[in-house]
Amino acid sequence: MMECSDEDSRPQKMHEEDPLSVDIPETAHQISKDSWFQVGFVLTTGINSAYVLGYSGTIMVPLGWIFGVVGLIAATAISLYANTLIANLHEFGGRRHIRYRDLAGYIYGRKAYSLTWGLQYVNLFMINTGFIILAGSALKAVYVLFRDDHALKLPYCIVIAGFVCALFAICIPHLSALRIWLGFSTFFSLVYIIIAFVLSLQDGIKAPARDYGIPGTTTSKIFTTIGAAANLVFAFNTGMLPEIQATVRKPVVDNMLKALYFQFTVGVLPMYLVTFVGYWAYGSSTSSYLLNNVTGPVWVKAMANISAFLQTVIALHIFASPMYEYVDTKYGIKGSALSFRNLSFRIAVRGGYLAINTLVSALLPFLGDFMSLTGAISTFPLTFILANHMYLVAKKNKLNSLQKLWHWLNVCFFGSMSVAAAIAALRLIAVDSKAYHVFADI
């Protein structure tokens, strides 16, 4: 843990002359210690989480070959661009902004600070809800490989997954403490990606011609296409880049850019591989969890699902870390991670937070819909709208008219996409809620 002196621990003001300025506390977590390579692996862990097993079904099926491939490549380029904008603002004004809300508050003021924190909280809560659904689905997939009595239902698996995630959160005090777990995460990712790729390839070679037509009525196609656009941006973005950048050692901007280039070059290749091959093998019948489609030896499929479960536990911790940092800092949780006060605090707070996540996951276990809604109401605003507008405001005296127009076009376009995608995602959830009861075993 990072030790702070009394002078360093005093809150800093964003705008000394602004009566509406807010206090920005120092963090109780460790910062400025990690290499760009470790941060690159944190980002790659997020992009190659078990969510990649759903992109064949949630992106390619609604979009088809042409729009799916073009969309993924375009989303990669656009996401890299938007993330570099945020990374370049990390030391704006001569100070480090180690939280997304700190940066927004410094540029805009108190209201933006609160709004950004609200958006980010919703974003990370829904991402973590999806992770618990994924982990529960992986556990159920392992069970049905060996038993067909349907005794262990998806809601029970989700509760088990939530409990394991809580245990891991209690044991790992902060983001930098992951260290060796990032290596395990990479190993687990490679296991389920390679197995999904190989088994899908084998099935595709043996299978007759597949149907790649976009399923549904004309109306449903419109909504699922818009929802898939939200899934595209969800696939590449964390909504917590400043918090991750806070862990990298100086020079923070240059090192973060190296980590981002690593993420969006080497890091995206496994995701591309499994997404395209999965859709090629099963066409429009591809499910939102690819391992449910593949055929092969039971022990191989079990290993893939167990790896997906374990990697999801690690990945969830990354996306929950801003919430943990907030409460740890607010209540002064510093010093030894094993002290009675600190350990009991993590058990109560992190356990309670993940219990709520688990309840929502079991209540509405519609993974693809959560991905769409997360992309619509938080990933679009945080990563694209806010990034472009913050850069526009921060660099307004250094941008020419054409550059300003470019950023305004981005703000308007992604604002429209956010509204349309939110409507589409809410419709999908409403439709699925009618088709399935709450706590559905799907």
Side-chain angles (χ1 to χ4, degrees):
M1 291 287 189
M2 184 184 70
E3 299 292 339
C4 299
S5 67
D6 292 339
E7 181 177 345
D8 291 336
S9 62
R10 285 198 293 264
Q12 300 172 348
K13 295 283 189 179
M14 286 182 290
H15 301 294
E16 296 295 341
E17 75 284 1
D18 183 3
L20 295 179
S21 63
V22 299
D23 291 335
I24 298 182
E26 293 291 340
T27 180
H29 286 195
Q30 180 174 286
I31 63 171
S32 305
K33 297 292 184 182
D34 301 339
S35 67
W36 72 264
F37 194 62
Q38 179 173 332
V39 174
F41 266 95
V42 170
L43 294 168
T44 301
T45 293
I47 208 171
N48 287 299
S49 70
Y51 272 117
V52 301
L53 298 172
Y55 296 152
S56 296
T58 59
I59 292 176
M60 298 301 295
V61 170
L63 295 179
W65 273 119
I66 295 175
F67 291 108
V69 173
V70 172
L72 272 170
I73 295 172
T76 305
I78 295 168
S79 298
L80 173 59
Y81 172 71
N83 279 281
T84 57
L85 293 181
I86 299 170
N88 278 302
L89 293 175
H90 192 77
E91 294 182 306
F92 175 64
R95 67 181 66 184
R96 291 191 70 175
H97 305 284
I98 62 173
R99 308 174 187 90
Y100 213 133
R101 60 189 182 276
D102 296 352
L103 177 59
Y106 184 81
I107 292 174
Y108 300 117
R110 180 189 295 274
K111 290 182 179 178
Y113 179 93
S114 301
L115 177 62
T116 303
W117 179 218
L119 279 173
Q120 191 180 35
Y121 178 84
V122 170
N123 177 63
L124 298 176
F125 182 87
M126 290 197 297
I127 289 174
N128 291 332
T129 297
F131 272 128
I132 295 175
I133 295 172
L134 266 174
S137 299
L139 279 182
K140 184 185 175 184
V142 173
Y143 180 80
V144 299
L145 286 173
F146 299 97
R147 300 283 295 272
D148 60 356
D149 55 12
H150 302 289
L152 188 64
K153 301 185 183 299
L154 179 59
Y156 306 154
C157 293
I158 286 174
V159 171
I160 296 170
F163 179 73
V164 175
C165 289
L167 286 180
F168 189 78
I170 292 165
C171 294
I172 307 298
H174 50 76
L175 191 58
S176 289
L178 281 172
R179 297 190 184 282
I180 192 172
W181 291 103
L182 294 174
F184 284 119
S185 174
T186 301
F187 171 75
F188 294 141
S189 295
L190 288 174
V191 169
Y192 61 71
I193 286 174
I194 290 172
I195 290 175
F197 170 78
V198 172
L199 295 184
S200 297
L201 187 64
Q202 289 179 347
D203 288 347
I205 292 171
K206 297 175 184 176
R210 274 79 70 193
D211 177 19
Y212 296 109
I214 299 174
T217 63
T218 302
T219 302
S220 66
K221 286 180 183 179
I222 293 172
F223 283 104
T224 54
T225 299
I226 295 172
N231 291 340
L232 282 171
V233 299
F234 172 87
F236 296 100
N237 298 284
T238 61
M240 51 175 284
L241 194 75
E243 286 82 357
I244 295 175
Q245 191 169 0
T247 67
V248 74
R249 65 176 67 120
K250 296 180 179 181
V252 290
V253 173
D254 289 343
N255 281 333
M256 193 64 198
L257 291 178
K258 290 178 183 177
L260 285 171
Y261 296 146
F262 178 84
Q263 175 195 9
F264 285 98
T265 53
V266 177
V268 299
L269 295 180
M271 186 197 75
Y272 281 173
L273 196 67
V274 74
T275 299
F276 295 146
V277 171
Y279 182 60
W280 168 78
Y282 307 108
S284 59
S285 64
T286 311
S287 75
S288 60
Y289 185 63
L290 185 59
L291 293 178
N292 286 338
N293 286 100
V294 300
T295 59
V298 169
W299 70 270
V300 174
K301 293 172 66 176
M303 186 166 62
N305 280 293
I306 292 170
S307 296
F309 170 77
L310 294 173
Q311 199 276 344
T312 297
V313 173
I314 299 171
L316 183 147
H317 190 74
I318 295 173
F319 288 91
S321 62
M323 180 63 186
Y324 301 157
E325 188 274 337
Y326 169 74
V327 292
D328 287 354
T329 299
K330 183 176 178 64
Y331 293 100
I333 304 301
K334 300 178 182 178
S336 172
L338 297 178
S339 70
F340 177 78
R341 177 176 182 267
N342 292 354
L343 187 60
S344 60
F345 183 86
R346 291 201 304 276
I347 291 172
V349 174
R350 299 185 184 189
Y353 173 73
L354 288 171
I356 297 171
N357 261 137
T358 302
L359 176 62
V360 175
S361 302
L363 188 69
L364 298 168
F366 312 128
L367 182 61
D369 300 349
F370 267 101
M371 289 165 60
S372 298
L373 188 61
T374 304
I377 70 175
S378 51
T379 308
F380 270 128
L382 283 173
T383 305
F384 298 101
I385 301 171
L386 198 57
N388 276 278
H389 196 267
M390 283 196 304
Y391 196 82
L392 184 66
V393 173
K395 305 289 186 179
K396 59 184 177 182
N397 296 327
K398 298 181 180 180
L399 301 176
N400 59 41
S401 298
L402 188 60
Q403 290 172 318
K404 291 179 181 178
L405 177 62
W406 164 251
H407 288 292
W408 274 117
L409 286 173
N410 276 283
V411 169
C412 294
F413 173 74
F414 288 114
S416 301
M417 285 296 299
S418 179
V419 172
I423 294 171
L426 290 172
R427 179 187 177 275
L428 289 171
I429 291 176
V431 170
D432 283 338
S433 296
K434 290 179 181 178
Y436 302 99
H437 56 76
V438 295
F439 300 107
D441 182 31
I442 57 177

